[in-house]
Amino acid sequence: MMLAHRLAEIHSNFGIYSESQINGNVDFHIVSDLKQVPELNYLVDFYEAYFQHYKKAMDPSRNYWSFKKDNIARSVDLPFIGRKVVEQGKAEYIFVFKGSLQKEEKLSMTVLSCFWIFEDVQPYQSFFDRYWPNTKNYDPLVRNLGITRDIAERSYVTDFARVANHRGIRDMKKCKELLMDEIHLLNPQLVILVGSEPRDAFSHELRLHPEKYMSVPFSLKGVPKKTQIEGPLLYKQLRERLYHLLDKEKGQVL
């Protein structure tokens, strides 16, 4: 569980979770719920090791600033770590979403990406009702991104807005520093920035390293006309890149 320890150290350095969240003192805790899903038991084991190490690494003198006045984040979700990422200690793909609008008393997982390994999420509807009331946005998002089980198992999925300042809004500099630490640790082939906030934060990297960074919209609803027009092509290009990298990786294994 070396990866669990290293991630816990990175995250505790930025103080992204409150003590109540780490100790499980929240009304709804997705890791507890995942104990009922046998195929995700590896993730339960991972997070049990992660939480233990996070507590040890916590600096009691560090201020934990919660999100209060931010329009893209109210809390901080747990990242999803695919099975092969846990086994190999690296991710082929990192997906970065904008931030969590979940209530702080619910410790969820970024866009419920833990269920990306399943083609049919209907058996887990009760989990969606608890953390994301419907699958209306989930299904088209997974389709547009071209997620398959193979891709999910090789992915790390997280949010951009995870570090708040004393005013309760995102600390842009620290949010990016945190992500860069994760990218350095996981050494992905492709970083997918989903939505305008991650895209804008990584505009420099998108310009200088287009082979490693790519941006796509979160959805095609409620977005500027330009995004509605360009979005389907960007999704198509993303799917082509993901499948090409996946085929290449499988070929190297063979």
Side-chain angles (χ1 to χ4, degrees):
M1 283 298 175
M2 184 61 70
L3 181 59
H5 292 179
R6 293 178 72 185
L7 271 177
E9 286 170 4
I10 288 172
H11 294 167
S12 65
N13 283 341
F14 288 87
I16 64 176
Y17 297 112
S18 67
E19 195 170 344
S20 62
Q21 288 172 319
I22 286 298
N23 288 324
N25 300 327
V26 289
D27 293 342
F28 301 100
H29 195 301
I30 196 164
V31 176
S32 297
D33 288 329
L34 293 183
K35 291 177 181 178
Q36 303 171 48
V37 185
E39 287 191 82
L40 291 172
N41 280 349
Y42 82 90
L43 202 52
V44 175
D45 294 340
F46 180 91
Y47 270 113
E48 285 181 351
Y50 171 92
F51 291 139
Q52 287 177 11
H53 202 76
Y54 192 106
K55 283 185 240 185
K56 290 179 185 175
M58 282 179 80
D59 181 353
S61 66
R62 177 183 293 279
N63 288 320
Y64 169 80
W65 304 110
S66 60
F67 285 100
K68 294 176 183 176
K69 302 175 181 178
D70 199 283
N71 64 343
I72 69 167
R74 284 198 294 261
S75 186
V76 180
D77 285 340
L78 294 171
F80 167 68
I81 302 100
R83 183 187 294 274
K84 288 195 176 295
V85 180
V86 173
E87 292 172 353
Q88 298 171 6
K90 76 178 296 297
E92 299 300 324
Y93 325 107
I94 291 183
F95 289 84
V96 182
F97 291 84
K98 58 182 185 178
S100 174
L101 291 175
Q102 191 65 264
K103 293 180 180 177
E104 194 174 354
E105 62 268 20
K106 292 184 179 184
L107 191 59
S108 185
M109 198 164 289
T110 302
V111 296
L112 292 185
S113 45
C114 47
F115 294 106
W116 283 5
I117 66 169
F118 302 110
E119 283 188 26
D120 180 14
V121 296
Q122 279 304 116
Y124 312 103
Q125 190 60 51
S126 61
F127 294 107
F128 281 86
D129 292 342
R130 194 180 305 226
Y131 298 103
W132 197 352
N134 59 64
T135 56
K136 190 167 59 178
N137 294 321
Y138 175 91
D139 293 332
L141 173 66
V142 170
R143 248 188 341 265
N144 285 333
L145 297 178
I147 302 301
T148 64
R149 185 187 186 100
D150 279 338
I151 289 170
E153 288 183 337
R154 293 163 170 78
S155 295
Y156 179 80
V157 187
T158 193
D159 287 322
F160 171 69
R162 288 177 291 166
V163 186
N165 61 24
H166 68 283
R167 292 178 295 160
I169 60 175
R170 80 206 82 137
D171 186 320
M172 297 289 287
K173 185 172 181 288
K174 288 187 177 178
C175 285
K176 185 170 180 180
E177 284 177 5
L178 169 55
L179 267 167
M180 292 305 291
D181 283 353
E182 290 169 321
I183 291 168
H184 179 73
L185 170 66
L186 295 167
N187 191 27
Q189 294 196 61
L190 186 63
V191 178
I192 302 98
L193 307 160
V194 187
S196 57
E197 289 82 3
R199 178 199 66 204
D200 294 346
F202 281 80
S203 58
H204 180 74
E205 287 75 13
L206 282 164
R207 189 173 64 255
L208 291 185
H209 304 289
E211 76 289 349
K212 184 163 183 171
Y213 293 85
M214 181 176 185
S215 70
V216 293
F218 178 76
S219 79
L220 299 179
K221 294 180 180 177
V223 293
K225 185 82 170 181
K226 186 172 182 286
T227 304
Q228 293 179 34
I229 294 169
E230 293 177 349
L233 178 59
L234 291 173
Y235 289 137
K236 182 174 181 290
Q237 290 171 344
L238 169 61
R239 292 191 295 268
E240 288 173 350
R241 290 184 69 176
L242 286 172
Y243 302 153
H244 173 73
L245 289 171
L246 181 61
D247 288 343
K248 185 178 174 183
E249 193 240 337
K250 283 186 169 181
Q252 288 173 347
V253 171
L254 293 174

